[in-house]
């Protein structure tokens, strides 16, 4: 079956409502093929939020060997194709009406990334698009919108992926607390002074046309848990490798720190959406197995994060396999993620970090539902 007719894979700014087979009561779907994992959510609008119908996540390590050879390997592509066939079957079984499927850093960087996208379509009938870093950042920010506190003046969103890390700085000082969700949905990621292509979704009746929030700056650092770990794989001492990774990443984000002027009394919030953040949060809680309901929305201070990471490094206590998220099936990936997170917390010493087990896929769902006129969120709920 060829899914091209029902996919929403058009560039942002164009129609995100799906194709001819779409039905008003059919569920929506979002698929993310990343450097480590292939993940999909199928959902319906539910009481001003999204109600999950089905989900799928499998570690495929698509970016394995990419840092060294610059291409996606045959084995990696085969693993991804097997996972995508499962996704195709779920889309059929759930009679999905609208779906948007994206590929991120591994396919962006690989010399054969576009060729692989064509191979996916030929062998599975699924049409994926390789999105820009800017579009990825926009969708991640939309995905975490419900977690922005009403009193927040400045927000830093961090998304530590397998192949890259996105950081977004947003100013809410001219916003009213009840409009946070709509302000994020309408956030302007298409300013002339910001690089990389990407646009927001078209306005919908009953929703603000313009955002009172301001995008201060954003960056996409070409280091994620897999790529940073691969770069320092020849350093055999754990503590030395950790220090090198963290310092390397800190050097990459210095420019972002200079782009905002913090004022006295500003309330600064950091939201982290990634396997790194959720794994550290689960470790802090002492969980033996990952429990989303306990981790999702948990707040951690810098000292609590430091204590968890210190345990990883100094006491030889690594997360158990059952805690690993987003394909973190090796301790080295957990450690490189921790190195990235601590570098960010050094540069941006906020009092607390909110762990959000959501992001790109939820952003894909929100954007489709809003564009289709199927999503209504009460301002007071935001």
């Amino acid at each position: 079956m060829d899914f091209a007719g029902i996919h929403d894979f058009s560039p942002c700014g164009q129609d995100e409502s799906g194709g001819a087979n779409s039905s008003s009561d059919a569920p929506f779907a979002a698929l993310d093929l990343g450097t480590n994992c292939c993940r999909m959510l199928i959902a319906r609008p539910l009481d001003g939020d999204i109600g999950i119908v089905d989900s799928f996540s499998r570690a495929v390590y698509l970016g394995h060997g990419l840092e060294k050879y610059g291409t996606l390997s045959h084995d990696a592509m085969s693993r991804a194709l097997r996972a995508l066939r499962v996704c195709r079957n779920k889309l059929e079984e759930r009679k999905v009406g609208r779906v948007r499927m994206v590929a991120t850093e591994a396919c962006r960087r690989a010399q054969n990334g576009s060729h692989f996208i064509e191979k996916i379509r030929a062998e599975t009938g699924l049409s994926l698009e390789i999105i820009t870093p800017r579009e990825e950042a926009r969708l991640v920010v939309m995905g975490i919108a419900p977690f922005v506190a009403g009193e927040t003046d400045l927000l830093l969103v961090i998304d530590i992926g397998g192949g890259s890390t996105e950081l977004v700085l947003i100013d809410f000082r001219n916003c009213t607390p009840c409009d946070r969700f709509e302000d994020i949905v309408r956030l302007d990621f298409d300013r002339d002074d910001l690089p990389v292509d990407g646009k927001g979704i078209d306005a919908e009746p009953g929703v603000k046309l313009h955002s009172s929030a301001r995008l201060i700056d954003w960056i996409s650092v070409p280091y994620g848990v897999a790529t940073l770990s691969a770069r320092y794989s020849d350093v055999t001492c754990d503590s030395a490798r950790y220090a090198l990774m963290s310092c390397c990443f800190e050097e990459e984000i210095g420019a972002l720190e200079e782009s905002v002027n913090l004022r006295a009394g500003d309330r600064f919030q950091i939201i982290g959406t990634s396997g790194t953040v959720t794994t550290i949060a689960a470790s802090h809680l002492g969980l033996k197995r990952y429990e989303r309901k306990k981790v999702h929305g948990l707040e951690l201070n810098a000292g609590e994060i430091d204590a968890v990471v210190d345990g990883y490094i100094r006491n030889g206590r690594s997360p158990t396999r059952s805690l690993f998220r987003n394909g973190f099936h090796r301790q080295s990936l957990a450690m490189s993620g921790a190195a990235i997170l601590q570098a960010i917390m050094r540069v941006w010493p906020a009092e607390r970090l909110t762990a959000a087990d959501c992001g790109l896929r939820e952003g894909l769902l929100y954007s489709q539902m809003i564009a289709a006129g199927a999503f209504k969120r009460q301002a007071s709920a935001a």
Side-chain angles (χ1 to χ4, degrees):
M1 178 178 181
D2 189 341
F3 277 80
I6 65 171
H7 284 177
D8 169 30
F9 60 97
S10 58
C12 251
Q14 298 182 26
D15 181 18
E16 294 191 75
S17 61
N21 293 336
S22 298
S23 170
S24 59
D25 60 350
F28 295 77
L31 187 152
D32 164 25
L33 179 61
T35 302
N36 278 339
C37 258
C38 175
R39 300 177 296 168
M40 184 174 71
L41 281 180
I42 300 174
R44 287 189 175 92
L46 179 66
D47 299 329
D49 210 323
I50 54 177
I52 304 302
V53 173
D54 202 350
S55 65
F56 173 81
S57 179
R58 179 176 296 176
V60 296
Y61 301 115
L62 183 60
H64 184 68
L66 177 60
E67 192 75 8
K68 183 176 182 179
Y69 300 107
T71 58
L72 304 175
S73 71
H74 174 77
D75 288 346
M77 289 189 290
S78 295
R79 289 192 296 269
L81 283 167
R82 287 194 294 271
L84 288 166
R85 290 189 183 100
V86 176
C87 292
R88 178 197 61 196
N89 293 339
K90 284 182 174 288
L91 291 170
E92 292 178 346
E93 292 167 3
R94 296 294 184 176
K95 295 181 172 56
V96 169
R98 300 175 177 91
V99 56
R100 189 176 181 194
M101 298 175 288
V102 302
T104 55
E105 187 67 11
C107 287
R108 282 197 295 258
R109 293 181 60 187
Q111 296 172 17
N112 58 342
S114 296
H115 170 76
F116 182 48
I117 295 299
E118 292 302 318
K119 182 179 177 69
I120 290 170
R121 172 151 185 170
E123 296 193 16
T124 70
L126 301 179
S127 297
L128 277 70
E129 60 171 315
I130 302 175
I131 58 173
T132 64
R134 171 187 286 199
E135 175 65 352
E136 183 175 358
R138 182 186 79 88
L139 291 165
V140 167
V141 169
M142 188 180 292
I144 58 86
F147 283 89
V148 180
E151 67 274 12
T152 295
D153 294 313
L154 295 171
L155 171 68
L156 175 66
V157 180
I158 58 176
D159 180 32
I160 305 171
S164 66
T165 298
E166 279 66 48
L167 297 95
V168 185
L169 267 172
I170 305 170
D171 184 347
F172 290 105
R173 287 178 288 204
N174 293 322
C175 303
T176 57
C178 64
D179 287 338
R180 287 290 191 268
F181 187 88
E182 288 186 4
D183 281 327
I184 289 174
V185 167
R186 301 299 158 197
L187 196 62
D188 183 9
F189 268 74
D190 199 32
R191 281 168 37 196
D192 291 338
D193 57 335
L194 294 175
V196 189
D197 294 333
K199 298 180 180 178
I201 60 178
D202 294 334
E204 178 201 336
V207 179
K208 292 172 61 176
L209 289 173
H210 303 289
S211 176
S212 300
R214 183 173 68 90
L215 179 65
I216 298 173
D217 201 359
W218 76 276
I219 58 173
S220 180
V221 181
Y223 290 120
V225 296
T227 47
L228 192 61
S229 178
R231 176 169 181 174
Y232 294 99
S233 60
D234 59 339
V235 181
T236 57
C237 173
D238 285 346
S239 58
R241 181 168 59 249
Y242 184 86
L244 286 169
M245 290 189 296
S246 195
C247 288
C248 170
F249 192 86
E250 186 172 346
E251 291 176 358
E252 295 284 339
I253 59 176
L256 186 66
E257 180 186 15
E258 300 170 359
S259 63
V260 62
N261 178 28
L262 285 171
R263 306 169 189 169
D266 278 341
R267 289 156 296 190
F268 184 49
Q269 182 182 12
I270 298 182
I271 298 179
T273 166
S274 67
T276 291
V277 176
T278 54
T279 298
I280 288 177
S283 294
H284 166 70
L285 293 174
L287 301 180
K288 299 302 181 183
R289 297 190 65 82
Y290 186 81
E291 296 181 57
R292 186 179 188 271
K293 65 181 180 180
K294 293 184 178 180
V295 171
H296 193 40
L298 182 70
E299 290 190 344
L300 298 169
N301 61 41
E304 290 168 335
I305 294 170
D306 292 344
V308 170
V309 178
D310 184 68
Y312 290 172
I313 300 173
R314 304 185 190 283
N315 304 326
R317 178 174 59 83
S318 63
T320 62
R321 186 183 181 93
S322 58
L323 283 184
F324 284 127
R325 303 289 289 158
N326 298 338
F328 285 13
H329 289 179
R330 299 198 307 269
Q331 181 186 3
S332 60
L333 299 186
M335 296 308 297
S336 57
I340 291 172
L341 181 60
Q342 284 201 308
I344 294 170
M345 297 299 286
R346 284 197 301 272
V347 172
W348 296 97
E351 292 183 3
R352 305 192 74 80
L353 165 75
T354 303
D357 192 350
C358 58
L360 178 57
R361 289 172 300 162
E362 286 78 6
L364 287 165
L365 289 170
Y366 284 135
S367 65
Q368 291 182 89
M369 291 176 182
I370 292 170
F375 185 87
K376 304 292 182 183
R377 185 177 178 90
Q378 297 295 323
S380 60

